Structures are given as C-alpha cells and as structure tokens.
Amino acid sequence: MDKKEEILKTALKLFVEFGFHATPTSKIAKEAGIANGTLFHYYKTKDELILALYAHTKSRLTEYMYANASKDESLELVFKSIYTNTIEWAQENKAEFYFIQQFSTSPFYGLISPEEITKQAKPHLDFLQAGIKAAVLKPLPVDMLYTLINSHIAGINQYLSSEEFSTAKQKKIINESFQLLWDMIT
Amino acid sequence: MDKKEEILKTALKLFVEFGFHATPTSKIAKEAGIANGTLFHYYKTKDELILALYAHTKSRLTEYMYANASKDESLELVFKSIYTNTIEWAQENKAEFYFIQQFSTSPFYGLISPEEITKQAKPHLDFLQAGIKAAVLKPLPVDMLYTLINSHIAGINQYLSSEEFSTAKQKKIINESFQLLWDMIT
DNA sequence: ACATTTGTAGACTGATTAGTCAATCATTGT
DNA sequence: ACAATGATTGACTAATCAGTCTACAAATGT
C-alpha cells in the first residue's frame, strides 16, 4: 500500500468533514493507520500536506476534464464534453470537488504563487481564446468568460448536490444548463 | 465604543487574512484591544463567535441587496437593482463578502440548521417564483435559478476583484454581465 | 556481504490554545 | 446610599497541537 496516497486520502476526508482548523495531523496519521512521524517524513509541515493535497486533487480534476476530447469535433462539442466531464467528476468525487472549493476560498490559496495559478489556467484560457478568435464565442475578456463558466459549473454542481436526482434527471439538468451557458457565451 | 461590534470587526479581518485555523481567540482579543475574558463574556465559544459573525455579515448584505428597490418598477428593474446592489456591496466590502464565501465553503456552514438556511433563502426564492409566474423568467426550478444567479454574481465579483478597474469600467462590466445573466434566465 | 539511504515507528517536547476564574470596576434601579 | 447586576480584566489551566528525535527495519546499490 502506498502510504503517501493513504495520507492524502485520509486528510481529504477529514479536512472536508472537520475543516483545517479541527483536523490535527495526529488524527490524520491515526486514521490512516500510520505513525505520527511517518506523516512528517512525507510532508515536512501540515501546510505542505494541505498544498500537496490541493495540487494532487486539482490535477486529477484537470486530467478528467479533458478526457475523450478529440480535436476533430466542433468547438461546441469539445466544450460540451469538457463541461459534462467536469460536472460528472464533481458529482462522482464530491469530497474532492468540495475540497478544491474549500481550499480556493481560504487563505491557503494565497500560498500558491501567481505564476502557478496562471500556469494552471493557461490551457483553459487558450481554449476560450481560440473560440473567440473563431467567432464562436462572444468577444468578452477571456478572464471574464473563464470566471463566468467556472462559477456556472460550481452553481450547477451545487444544485445537483442539493437534492437526490435520478441519473436520467441529472443528465437532463446537465444538458439544459449547458444550453443556458452556451447561449450566454455565444 | 461597542466592544461586541469591535470583536466582530477584528475577528472578520483576522479570519479573512489567516483563516479560522490560524486565528486564536487571544489574537482577536489583543487586536481588538480588549481582555481575553471579555471576548468569552460576549461569545461563549469560538464557534459561537464565528457563527455570530456569519449571521451578522450575511444580514448586512441581505439588507443592502434590497435597498432602493421600489415595488413600482418593472421586475427587470427591481432585479437589476438587487443584482447591482449585491455586486456593489461585495466590491465595497470585499473582506465581508469573502468571509461569507469562506464560511459557506467550510464545515462551519453545516452548523447552521436547514430551517435557518431555508428561511434565509425564502424571500429570494419568492421573488424568483413571482418572476416565473409572471412569465418573465424561464420556467426553471427556482432552486436552480437561484443557485445559477448566486454563482454568476460570485463569478463577476471575483472577476472584478482580480484586476484594478476604473469605476466607469466597473459599471460597464456590471451592466454587460447583467445583460448576459438576464438573457440567460428570461 | 556490506554500506548507505529511505521508510517507519511512537514516545516526547515546547509552544500554543480555548476557555475558566476570582477579583475589580461600572451602571442601573430603588 | 446601596444593592445588584453586568462588564472587564488578566493570570491561570488543562488539553492539544505541530513537529522532533532516536531507534530500528527495509530496501537498494556496490
């Protein structure tokens, strides 16, 4: 078993349930079934663990977002695929997605360098920029477009999480909300 | 001077800057210029302080949202007034708005009873429901509409905070983004 | 075979924390 | 004037926390 992975998994679960403030490293180690010192062997400080967890989780999401996105399709279809993938991942990994939001809306986010943030957003911004250039997307500032899309997704995810929808109903909502978003930005 | 108010003000500032985990009550008391015991005189526990701060801040926002909203105007104008008010408040009270988001995306939010949350959202949902009934807003589920609007506002606020815009430019962005939202939901 | 690095353990520590307490001080009502 | 209640203080405590340390085990390279 991979202890490093185990630590991240446990930390995620506890941070989401109790928050950063109420999740001691000792509790993480205990629940992960390892010794206290082992945790600090892999992560020098608690902050480092939190940052690593964020980077790890965020990259898992990003990876999933672009899955099955063949470049042959129309921009709309590629965009819809990314949109759908993101929401699907969020629904299937609720704790992970929640953690990303929790982290992003906390002072920890300030520990990430602006360069890193820019680097993370780059592919998405490039994609949107291409859409604008191709006159498919409205000529809005890309940053604005990006933020608008992100928050739309966060909103729909929140809505989907607020009630128990059947899979069919979920798909319907995702399709409908995509159309709303698409009409808004094209 | 009102000590209770002073405590909230200081706590807000510190929570936003350092987070819940890294803001000891002793620091709050010190920075607020009061004794340690005084803080616990007004708020029995740290959690109680955090919850009170959220309730206080949230109600200040809600109050401002509906300011100058005369019932005589068209639904669009009233809606736009609420929209504009909210973003203006968020921009003029960045720490407060950020705190609301920080709190909402943390396990503390779970300490608020579902009834309280429902009660808070009630007026907004009623307003939207009326808009649907009047066939002005699309017949989407109100909860969905509500979440969509909320996240849209959060997004625009984030965009406005990401750069330094002139007041004129800001107003232009708010008008434009309102139009995007309005077209989406009507 | 042996040496060196890397992983793992868990008792331990120094610092910090939320919250208490007993003692004053201020305000109010009678 | 005088209770009585509430406000304020800051030293104090018991618990907890992040992180260290020493010792040992496993793996890896030579």
Side-chain angles (χ1 to χ4, degrees), chain B residues 90-91 94 155-165 170:
Chain B
Q91 282 300 115
K94 285 189 182 166
I156 287 302
N157 179 66
Q158 193 186 318
Y159 175 61
L160 287 173
S161 303
S162 69
E163 296 177 46
E164 288 297 335
F165 297 108
Q170 259 199 39

Side-chain angles (χ1 to χ4, degrees), chain B residues 8-69:
Chain B
L8 290 182
K9 210 181 90 190
T10 310
L12 175 90
K13 188 187 141 204
L14 294 175
F15 285 147
V16 164
E17 186 171 357
F18 302 109
F20 301 115
H21 66 291
T23 305
T25 52
S26 57
K27 203 172 173 182
I28 297 171
K30 202 174 184 178
E31 190 122 343
I34 57 157
N36 218 298
T38 307
L39 188 150
F40 285 97
H41 175 70
Y42 288 110
Y43 305 99
K44 276 193 274 295
T45 63
K46 189 182 180 182
D47 278 19
E48 192 179 305
L49 166 61
I50 293 173
L51 288 170
L53 178 56
Y54 174 71
H56 177 256
T57 311
K58 190 77 192 284
S59 86
R60 283 220 296 138
L61 166 58
T62 305
E63 203 176 319
Y64 195 95
M65 278 175 74
Y66 286 93
N68 328 318

